[in-house]
Amino acid sequence: METSDLESVEKLHQGYQRLLQEVNRVIIGQQQVVEELLISLLAGGHSLLVGVPGLAKTLIVHTLADTLNLSFNRVQFTPDLMPADITGTDVIQEDKSTGNRDFKFLPGPIFSNVVLADEINRTPPKTQAALLEAMQEHQVTAGGRKHKLPVPFFVLATQNPIEQEGTYPLPEAQLDRFMFEINVQYPSEEEEFAIVRQTTSDESYSVKKVLDLDELLSFQSLVRKVPVADHVIRYAMQFARMTRIIPGSDTQAEEVPEFIREFVSWGAGPRASQNLVLGAKARAILHGRMYVSTDDIRAVAHPVLRHRIITNFNAEAEGMTPDKIVDRLIQLIPVDSSQEKLDGRLPQVFRSADAR
């Protein structure tokens, strides 16, 4: 990396510390959620936040957008929401000077840097698909014309895991378009005490802008420049490859662990490997490092993989969740060549790219 890039890494690290200070003025706790959201934003990915009501998911996203000086829109997903309510639509307008009528596109709330899709599983698949198309193509098509979305563009969706009546769960193929699935947990006792004391007083808190849009775009470009050693890439690949079971095929029978064959019906695809490396790169520069380690891969393994590992009935009966499967993979996959030699597992992990 060039000297200017190293300076940018240090600038981002300092900005990250200031950003946490600003976010903590409004959000109490949820440090891991904030970090994972920042990692996904720096890597240019979208995130799905899963948590019960009342855990400040909306407030976290709005506060983060404010500190990064990004435009923000929130869309409450309901069963009667139509695609045009999100993307926008063409309307007929008359030119008063000529009397001519023409179609004019009125952009919807999706034309924003950060779009909060609140309770995304409460709207029918047709509307979900309109949002997911914009996520993938970064554009909206209306009346045969394509309209580019602003740059950067992030969809941060929320989902309630406890109330499934009247919902439309996202198909696995569409879930795969989210870089991270972030679990939002209950606060600790002390955190909840601080939340209650702060939110029931007459004091109001606001945040300052920490980074601007141009800086965020430059940091996104910087993520791609972070070097990654071959063995770290192969280490990341193993998390995805070891979850894959090909029905009716014995191609990977020796590579796939027994607990995967027992509990997993479908594993993660190549997009998981890509997101593991990109997420690890973003985490490395957030922490002021110009290199990626296996620790960074492990830190992003859960949010990258938990929505890409499809468990079967055996897993449900045994209480084996995707997170527990990732925990077992972390214990199984060797982190360096010395550990690999001790137990002889996965002999291809530390092979260089030029090795034959």
Side-chain angles (χ1 to χ4, degrees):
M1 298 179 72
E2 300 177 357
T3 304
S4 59
D5 292 334
L6 300 179
E7 293 173 350
S8 296
V9 170
E10 180 59 30
K11 182 179 180 180
L12 175 59
H13 177 60
Q14 295 174 359
Y16 174 53
Q17 301 304 319
R18 296 199 312 273
L19 186 143
L20 288 180
Q21 291 175 1
E22 290 300 315
V23 170
N24 288 339
R25 291 165 57 88
V26 179
I27 304 297
I28 296 171
Q30 306 295 0
Q31 298 296 311
Q32 184 173 347
V33 173
V34 173
E35 178 171 303
E36 289 176 354
L37 278 173
L38 268 177
I39 290 172
S40 69
L41 294 181
L42 286 175
H46 311 285
S47 291
L48 177 65
L49 289 85
V50 179
V52 299
L55 297 183
K57 298 186 292 295
T58 301
L59 183 59
I60 291 173
V61 174
H62 199 169
T63 302
L64 197 58
D66 285 344
T67 57
L68 296 175
N69 199 20
L70 299 174
S71 58
F72 171 83
N73 272 326
R74 173 181 177 270
V75 181
Q76 178 62 54
F77 278 55
T78 57
D80 60 347
L81 193 72
M82 298 299 291
D85 296 330
I86 303 173
T87 61
T89 187
D90 283 319
V91 297
I92 297 178
Q93 287 195 343
E94 181 179 346
D95 188 335
K96 294 182 179 180
S97 61
T98 64
N100 294 330
R101 293 184 176 184
D102 197 6
F103 284 101
K104 181 179 180 181
F105 179 72
L106 294 182
I110 201 171
F111 284 84
S112 186
N113 296 128
V114 177
V115 177
L116 174 62
D118 219 353
E119 296 188 289
I120 190 173
N121 58 331
R122 292 208 171 276
T123 200
K126 181 178 181 180
T127 307
Q128 292 175 353
L131 175 68
L132 293 166
E133 179 186 7
M135 290 168 55
Q136 187 72 16
E137 307 297 334
H138 286 210
Q139 66 182 20
V140 167
T141 303
R145 290 179 293 179
K146 296 179 180 178
H147 305 273
K148 291 291 184 181
L149 292 169
V151 179
F153 172 70
F154 307 107
V155 171
L156 303 178
T158 67
Q159 191 167 290
N160 178 359
I162 61 173
E163 188 180 359
Q164 298 303 320
E165 184 177 354
T167 62
Y168 304 85
L170 288 172
E172 284 76 11
Q174 294 182 354
L175 279 173
D176 191 52
R177 297 189 184 183
F178 288 96
M179 178 180 183
F180 281 176
E181 180 181 306
I182 301 173
N183 281 350
V184 185
Q185 306 288 349
Y186 284 114
S188 66
E189 182 178 353
E190 290 304 313
E191 288 172 347
E192 188 165 354
F193 174 82
I195 290 170
V196 173
R197 183 170 60 181
Q198 176 173 306
T199 56
T200 56
S201 69
D202 61 351
E203 296 184 23
S204 60
Y205 299 89
S206 59
V207 295
K208 300 177 182 177
K209 305 287 189 292
V210 175
L211 300 175
D212 59 32
L213 190 144
D214 290 337
E215 287 177 319
L216 179 60
L217 291 176
S218 68
F219 290 143
Q220 284 186 326
S221 176
L222 181 63
V223 167
R224 298 275 177 168
K225 297 180 182 179
V226 176
V228 186
D230 291 343
H231 77 274
V232 176
I233 294 176
R234 293 191 181 279
Y235 178 76
M237 288 169 52
Q238 292 304 318
F239 280 93
R241 295 186 63 80
M242 291 181 70
T243 65
R244 296 174 191 164
I245 297 177
I246 304 175
S249 172
D250 296 329
T251 305
Q252 294 177 297
E254 295 182 0
E255 185 176 341
V256 176
E258 180 61 35
F259 69 89
I260 296 293
R261 290 196 288 269
E262 181 181 358
F263 296 123
V264 175
S265 60
W266 207 261
R271 190 176 286 165
S273 301
Q274 295 171 328
N275 287 334
L276 281 167
V277 173
L278 275 176
K281 285 185 172 188
R283 182 180 187 271
I285 63 173
L286 265 186
H287 290 267
R289 287 182 284 106
M290 288 73 75
Y291 63 91
V292 178
S293 70
T294 52
D295 288 338
D296 295 313
I297 300 293
R298 289 195 296 276
V300 299
H302 288 89
V304 168
L305 294 170
R306 63 168 55 107
H307 59 299
R308 293 183 166 95
I309 297 176
I310 311 304
T311 54
N312 56 25
F313 177 78
N314 293 334
E316 185 176 352
E318 296 289 335
M320 181 62 68
T321 64
D323 277 345
K324 291 181 180 178
I325 290 173
V326 175
D327 288 335
R328 293 184 68 169
L329 288 174
I330 289 174
Q331 295 174 359
L332 178 67
I333 302 173
V335 297
D336 55 39
S337 56
S338 62
Q339 188 182 82
E340 179 185 69
K341 292 176 182 177
L342 286 175
D343 55 24
R345 295 176 299 184
L346 306 179
Q348 299 301 311
V349 174
F350 298 99
R351 177 170 61 86
S352 69
D354 299 327
R356 295 289 188 267

